[in-house]
Amino acid sequence: MVLWSKEQDKLPDIDMSSGDIEGTKEGGPLTPVLVNSNCLVPPVILSKGPEEESLGSGNNLELTEVPNGDAADDVERSEIVAATDCRANAKGQREEDALLENGSQSNESDETSTDQSPEPPPPLKETSFTIGLQVVFPFLLAGFGTVAAGMVLDLVQHWTVFKEVNEVFILVPALLGLKGNLEMTLASRLSTAANIGQMDNAKNMWEMIMGNLALIQVQATVVGFLASIAAVIFGWIPEGHFRLDHAVLLCASSVATAFIASLILGLIMIGVIIAARKVGINPDNVATPIAASLGDLITLSLLAGISTGLYKELDNNYANPLVCAVFVALCPLWVLIARRIPSTRELLYSGWEPVIIAMAISSVGGLILDKTVTHPNFAGIAVFTPVINGVGGNLVAVQASRISTYLHMNGLPMGDPNPTPRKCPTPCATFFGSSVNSRSARVLFLLVAPGHLAFLYTINSLRGGHTMLTAVFVSFYMVAALLQVLILLYLADWMVHWMWGRGMDPDNFSIPYLTALGDLLGTGFLALCFHMRWFIGDKDSSLGN
């Protein structure tokens, strides 16, 4: 039923096609005719309503329906007040218009707010030249550090302890890998924290420093102990005999070397990151190469010196066990310190898997080195092993740290329940894409060839090793080095994003795996080079004997 409550001089003639309503205007009040379902036409009397007067709407009229006498039996009511319906309809119309208007304004507001919403931080504005300029000097410094480590290993391989206890060679890649398992991971973690502003506050900075130093001391002690066990097992399986005094010597040497080297390198890393942040250099580009430049040299020197000193005390039944007990007894102290810091508390429980697995992978590389370096025709491999492993590990650690920082600053939250599906990257996407990570991958790969040529020239000038640098050997060596870094950079692109999508912080998980794979690939490819050059007749001379 539709009713009108307008003044008579404002109401036009109404003719609606529905046929429900008919109206006439004959100089008097407009009398709408309501046609009910029984085709009866009851009159409607227009009058003022009390509600209208109370509401102050003097111009509105109340419509009263008087039932027809024929319909009195069916409907017993004298009037129907329609003013409320009228006002409700008018109000509903006004509300609908207001809603439409508000909706339009809301859409415009949403569009405006969308346009004005803060966008995520843009990717690092670094050109290829900028990346190369920041990376090349730490890279060369790290490379010459590995050359020095190679010269040390080439020298100490003739020491008594290395000849009598061959398992020490198995410890070499595992302990050198600590720079990837611990120091480079520490550098990547603190570099990311510095880049996103978590170290701008002095209190937070010192908490992170103390917690991370305590954490790596615990990890170094445990990893050193496990590396000695792996060396004993790998040495016992092929030879078939076991000596307890040699096992205790390996344990004491490994634990002491890992503990002292990690403490020294950790302090150096913290100083480098703080200094780089203050002078405006990206710590990701300099921290990990500097860790590697000193890591190999310090670790090898400590291993050779400590193992030689403990070997001299081999007849003393208390010296080696006492060294092991002292360093193991300090572990609860480091655990208490690390647990007090929120940033390291979780890593104290969840950060063991990559470190232990990486140590096992590096130990396999150590087994390859042990079986190759003890061969009389392949003694020259010792001087090149730290170089090829160190260069590959340095470059992939830089790339992994950069990608991790990029994701922290620009990516989705770790472990996003609805992440954008990301297919496994192709080599073309990794090395020839337009992103800053592809540019850095190209720059790092282009550093391999000139860097290794410079390192080989330095080794040859110092008369190091037992291998003449012939064209055949240099060709095989360069192919092995390029292939190693190519594989590692591609794996870094895939692994970091894969871990990020599964809620694992790449700073803590990716670098140990990547550097351990670098040790395994580098040692394996280098051993293959020596076998191939021996097979084709390009044999060693007496260089460096």
Side-chain angles (χ1 to χ4, degrees), residues 237-254:
I237 291 177
E239 297 180 3
H241 67 274
F242 172 79
R243 289 189 58 178
L244 181 61
D245 56 346
H246 284 185
V248 177
L249 169 65
L250 289 172
C251 180
S253 301
S254 180

Side-chain angles (χ1 to χ4, degrees), residues 24-110:
T24 60
K25 179 181 179 181
E26 297 179 352
L30 177 66
T31 303
V33 180
L34 306 179
V35 183
N36 58 24
S37 59
N38 296 328
C39 298
L40 298 176
V41 185
V44 178
I45 301 173
L46 298 176
S47 63
K48 291 269 186 174
E51 288 186 357
E52 297 293 336
E53 295 177 354
S54 65
L55 293 173
S57 302
N59 293 332
N60 292 336
L61 300 177
E62 184 179 273
L63 293 144
T64 304
E65 177 183 353
V66 180
N68 189 292
D70 297 335
D73 297 337
D74 298 328
V75 181
E76 294 183 353
R77 63 186 187 179
S78 59
E79 63 179 9
I80 298 175
V81 180
T84 303
D85 290 342
C86 174
R87 291 195 304 272
N89 290 337
K91 181 179 179 182
Q93 183 64 32
R94 290 194 301 270
E95 289 178 350
E96 182 179 357
D97 294 340
L99 286 174
L100 291 174
E101 182 178 357
N102 291 338
S104 175
Q105 293 176 355
S106 177
N107 291 337
E108 294 176 358
S109 176
D110 291 344

Side-chain angles (χ1 to χ4, degrees), residues 82-316:
T84 303
D85 290 342
C86 174
R87 291 195 304 272
N89 290 337
K91 181 179 179 182
Q93 183 64 32
R94 290 194 301 270
E95 289 178 350
E96 182 179 357
D97 294 340
L99 286 174
L100 291 174
E101 182 178 357
N102 291 338
S104 175
Q105 293 176 355
S106 177
N107 291 337
E108 294 176 358
S109 176
D110 291 344
E111 293 175 359
T112 304
S113 63
T114 301
D115 295 338
Q116 296 178 353
S117 61
E119 297 180 355
L124 297 175
K125 300 297 184 181
E126 293 179 302
T127 63
S128 298
F129 177 77
T130 304
I131 297 171
L133 188 63
Q134 293 188 11
V135 171
V136 64
F137 295 108
F139 168 73
L140 291 176
L141 179 62
F144 287 118
T146 60
V147 169
M151 299 292 290
V152 170
L153 182 59
D154 183 60
L155 174 65
V156 301
Q157 68 174 325
H158 304 293
W159 289 11
T160 303
V161 64
F162 284 85
K163 290 183 176 181
E164 298 295 328
V165 188
N166 292 332
E167 293 84 357
V168 177
F169 283 110
I170 302 177
L171 287 177
V172 170
L175 293 180
L176 295 185
L178 283 178
K179 73 179 185 299
N181 298 343
L182 303 181
E183 280 74 35
M184 286 187 177
T185 301
L186 171 66
S188 177
R189 190 161 58 241
L190 294 183
S191 296
T192 299
N195 281 326
I196 63 179
Q198 292 182 357
M199 296 182 66
D200 293 342
N201 182 276
K203 180 181 179 181
N204 293 338
M205 181 182 70
W206 287 111
E207 284 185 353
M208 293 188 67
I209 290 173
M210 294 301 297
N212 279 279
L213 281 178
L215 175 65
I216 64 172
Q217 294 311 115
V218 177
Q219 292 177 331
T221 304
V222 175
V223 171
F225 179 75
L226 295 177
S228 65
I229 294 177
V232 170
I233 294 174
F234 286 149
W236 167 69
I237 291 177
E239 297 180 3
H241 67 274
F242 172 79
R243 289 189 58 178
L244 181 61
D245 56 346
H246 284 185
V248 177
L249 169 65
L250 289 172
C251 180
S253 301
S254 180
V255 171
T257 300
F259 183 93
I260 299 173
S262 294
L263 180 61
I264 295 173
L265 293 174
L267 293 173
I268 294 174
M269 282 304 90
I270 291 170
V272 168
I273 291 170
I274 295 176
R277 183 67 174 171
K278 289 185 178 298
V279 300
I281 297 177
N282 187 353
D284 286 318
N285 294 333
V286 298
T288 50
I290 292 178
S293 65
L294 301 174
D296 290 345
L297 180 59
I298 292 175
T299 303
L300 264 179
S301 301
L302 287 173
L303 177 61
I306 292 174
S307 60
T308 299
L310 293 178
Y311 181 77
K312 294 178 180 179
E313 300 294 329
L314 198 61
D315 295 335
N316 187 345

